[in-house]
Amino acid sequence: MAAARADALAMPLPKGLYGAAAKKAVGRMIDLGLLEEVDANITRGEPLWRETGDGHGTTLIATEAGLVAIGLSLAEIRSRLDRRNPKPTEPTPSAPRAGTKQARLIEMLPDPDGATTVEISEATGWQAHTVRGTISGTLRKKLGLTVICERTADRGRVYRLQTG
């Protein structure tokens, strides 16, 4: 399959190869360095080799050694590897919808006094671990906001947006 695809994707497997036989064959090819298991790009519709249990999955791609083993030239191999590994681009932050709990959280953080986990929990109805996860994952990583966390003697952990 990988020989027929420009991106060296080795999925779907050939007809008739499934179950324990597929697992054994793929495992051997991975051990030999001919295939590699990588995160599947679901948005591009890449077929899954296996699900990882967290809403994601993996797919199989032919390695450089695997492409050599099926007789591709060095120029063809480089071309396929370049298509498979595009240059990373900067994520473009999206704005949260108005009126959501996330929007309420963002409204609380520009205040110079910031907001504590308890205050955010009361305003959103979230548990403390959800507040911390949203600040770390959504605000910092997805939206690219700079959130400062400081411990104070009277209020405990206080979050606020960095200004300037």
Side-chain angles (χ1 to χ4, degrees):
M1 267 305 166
R5 297 187 56 125
D7 57 4
L9 193 62
M11 294 292 296
L13 294 176
K15 290 184 180 183
L17 184 60
Y18 54 90
K23 187 174 181 179
K24 186 171 185 169
V26 167
R28 181 71 176 136
M29 287 191 277
I30 289 172
D31 291 343
L32 292 172
L34 303 175
L35 289 179
E36 181 179 3
E37 191 172 1
V38 298
D39 290 332
N41 187 334
I42 308 259
T43 59
R44 281 197 323 217
E46 290 181 347
L48 296 180
W49 162 240
R50 67 180 179 88
E51 292 184 23
T52 57
D54 58 357
H56 298 88
T58 62
T59 192
L60 299 170
I61 56 171
T63 62
E64 187 172 344
L67 295 172
V68 168
I70 58 176
L72 294 181
S73 71
L74 190 57
E76 289 174 308
I77 292 170
R78 284 191 182 130
S79 171
R80 288 170 192 240
L81 294 177
D82 286 345
R83 279 192 210 110
R84 186 175 72 207
N85 299 316
K87 303 292 181 254
T89 58
E90 281 296 313
T92 53
S94 60
R97 293 187 323 260
T100 63
K101 293 177 181 183
Q102 180 182 339
R104 177 67 188 124
L105 168 61
I106 293 171
E107 290 169 6
M108 296 174 76
L109 297 181
D111 185 347
D113 293 333
T116 66
T117 305
V118 172
E119 293 166 349
I120 296 168
S121 292
E122 289 172 357
T124 60
W126 289 337
Q127 294 183 8
H129 69 274
T130 305
V131 171
R132 292 188 302 272
T134 302
I135 289 171
S136 174
T138 304
L139 300 188
R140 287 182 175 150
K141 293 178 185 170
K142 283 188 179 178
L143 298 178
L145 299 174
T146 304
V147 181
I148 307 294
C149 177
E150 297 174 330
R151 286 195 181 265
T152 62
D154 57 335
R155 295 177 68 204
R157 188 178 300 205
V158 177
Y159 297 97
R160 62 181 172 79
L161 287 178
Q162 181 177 7
T163 56

